[in-house]
Amino acid sequence: MAAGLFEGQYVWHPAADDRLLANVCVDVRAGRYRSAHEALVETRGDAGLRAHRSLVLASEAADSDLTERWLDEEPSPEAALLWARVAVLRAVRAADTRDERAEALERIALAACDRAAAANPADPTPWTARLAMARLHRLSDPAPRGLLTAPPGPWRLFAHILSLDPWHREAHHRFLACFFSRNGGSVNAAWDVAAFLGQRAPVDSPLRLLPLVALVESYNPTQLLADSIWEQPQWRSTALAIYQNWLPAAARYRFTPVLDLAYLAHALVMGKCEFEARAVFAATGPYASRMPWSAFGEPAEQLSRARRACGLPVPP
């Protein structure tokens, strides 16, 4: 990972410092898929990078017919994967906007995920894409032992993904989202699942951030002392442990994990740990993500406010 120095402006592009991916995004927007094929083939041995690149490319390709053309002209596991990603993105968008085509698009997406999984059975990404649609339904598999609230959910699908990759980052975040209040869950269930999943992960894993994600999701500015919760010993110690154990490991990533770094920086700033937050912002470089900042206001303003608290420069 080499985020680069902050030069006075935020870079919001999801490719961050994955230069190859950024260049492929330009090709995809121009209707060319050859470089996308090469970029995804390169990720066959790296599930995290494969998830990241396929998700970013799907966001670029969702409003065009590129994936359909690619699958028709040069079918491959990579073409099937990007088609599944695009189909799921379209289905979720349609469901969220109550589009009359939502059910049909969901059937197409499920078939696309099945095709991608069959093309590469060892790849957890098609199953993770399928998990993105789980929040559209109240799946009621019983929870395993160890959860106080024992919330039902898509546990079987999640377990299958873990059989392919036990620490798949995106899958854990997709799964946790199924228990958010806005998706029919509850604050207590989300905290319970986040703690359960985070505690079982290695100490240097980004999955240790899951409780901080649930904390942001449960933020309610109308509650008394809502902004002070991050100063409580439980949450401050959680953020500091992630800073000590995960941040050094993040330097070995093939791309800057901007979203995870943002959640950590946010928790440290809110917990009055500005010294540690400075190091996280330094690791992030100029790259920025909408979350978690958008949960508290306009994201650029909130990010600048946090950087100022650490004595760091912000855009003019």
Side-chain angles (χ1 to χ4, degrees):
M1 183 185 74
L5 297 177
F6 179 76
E7 297 181 349
Q9 296 294 333
Y10 299 135
V11 178
W12 299 94
H13 197 287
D17 56 347
D18 187 338
R19 308 298 188 194
L20 174 62
L21 178 59
N23 290 333
V24 174
C25 287
V26 174
D27 282 349
V28 168
R29 286 195 294 271
R32 299 186 293 266
Y33 57 75
R34 174 62 60 184
S35 62
H37 174 78
E38 296 170 355
L40 291 176
V41 166
E42 183 184 310
T43 68
R44 286 186 180 181
D46 187 333
L49 186 62
R50 192 170 181 84
H52 169 65
R53 284 185 175 176
S54 62
L55 187 59
V56 172
L57 291 176
S59 69
E60 298 286 354
D63 296 324
S64 72
D65 66 347
L66 179 137
T67 50
E68 290 92 335
R69 287 193 294 106
W70 181 8
L71 197 60
D72 180 59
E73 295 170 5
E74 297 185 20
S76 66
E78 283 64 43
L81 174 60
L82 194 58
W83 165 231
R85 284 291 212 179
V86 165
V88 167
L89 185 56
R90 291 172 179 169
V92 170
R93 285 178 179 175
D96 288 344
T97 58
R98 299 186 178 182
D99 191 307
E100 61 182 11
R101 302 169 298 167
E103 290 187 9
L105 289 172
E106 185 174 356
R107 288 194 297 271
I108 292 171
L110 290 172
C113 290
D114 288 344
R115 177 170 179 170
N120 189 353
D123 184 6
T125 322
W127 299 98
T128 302
R130 189 181 187 122
L131 185 58
M133 292 188 292
R135 67 175 178 81
L136 304 180
H137 309 283
R138 297 308 303 160
L139 301 182
S140 55
D141 303 334
R145 294 181 179 180
L147 287 94
L148 295 175
T149 58
W155 291 95
R156 293 177 186 172
L157 175 56
F158 185 55
H160 179 70
I161 297 171
L162 299 190
S163 72
L164 299 173
D165 183 359
W167 312 119
H168 197 280
R169 182 202 171 281
E170 184 188 340
H172 279 76
H173 281 263
R174 296 286 188 194
F175 183 68
L176 176 60
C178 294
F179 301 93
F180 290 161
S181 297
R182 57 185 165 89
N183 294 327
S186 68
V187 170
N188 288 337
W191 277 351
D192 198 10
V193 171
F196 176 77
L197 297 178
Q199 289 168 4
R200 63 187 289 276
V203 294
D204 61 349
S205 168
L207 298 180
R208 289 279 174 159
L209 283 154
L210 289 172
L212 299 181
V213 174
L215 186 60
V216 169
E217 181 65 27
S218 67
Y219 175 72
N220 182 353
T222 65
Q223 291 181 339
L224 185 65
L225 302 176
D227 289 347
S228 299
I229 189 171
W230 282 268
E231 297 179 45
Q232 295 179 4
Q234 170 193 355
W235 298 113
R236 181 180 285 174
S237 63
T238 296
L240 288 172
I242 297 167
Y243 166 81
Q244 293 166 358
N245 297 311
W246 172 69
L247 185 61
R252 300 191 295 269
Y253 285 27
R254 293 182 64 181
F255 62 92
T256 300
V258 178
L259 184 59
D260 290 330
L261 289 168
Y263 271 100
L264 178 56
H266 171 265
L268 290 169
V269 171
M270 297 292 282
K272 307 301 183 184
C273 301
E274 289 87 355
F275 175 82
E276 291 80 3
R278 282 177 63 95
V280 180
F281 281 127
T284 309
Y287 303 103
S289 62
R290 304 292 174 186
M291 288 293 289
W293 314 109
S294 62
F296 303 86
E298 201 283 323
E301 293 178 2
Q302 295 298 316
L303 175 55
S304 292
R305 180 182 178 184
R307 287 180 62 92
R308 287 194 195 96
C310 299
L312 295 172
V314 300

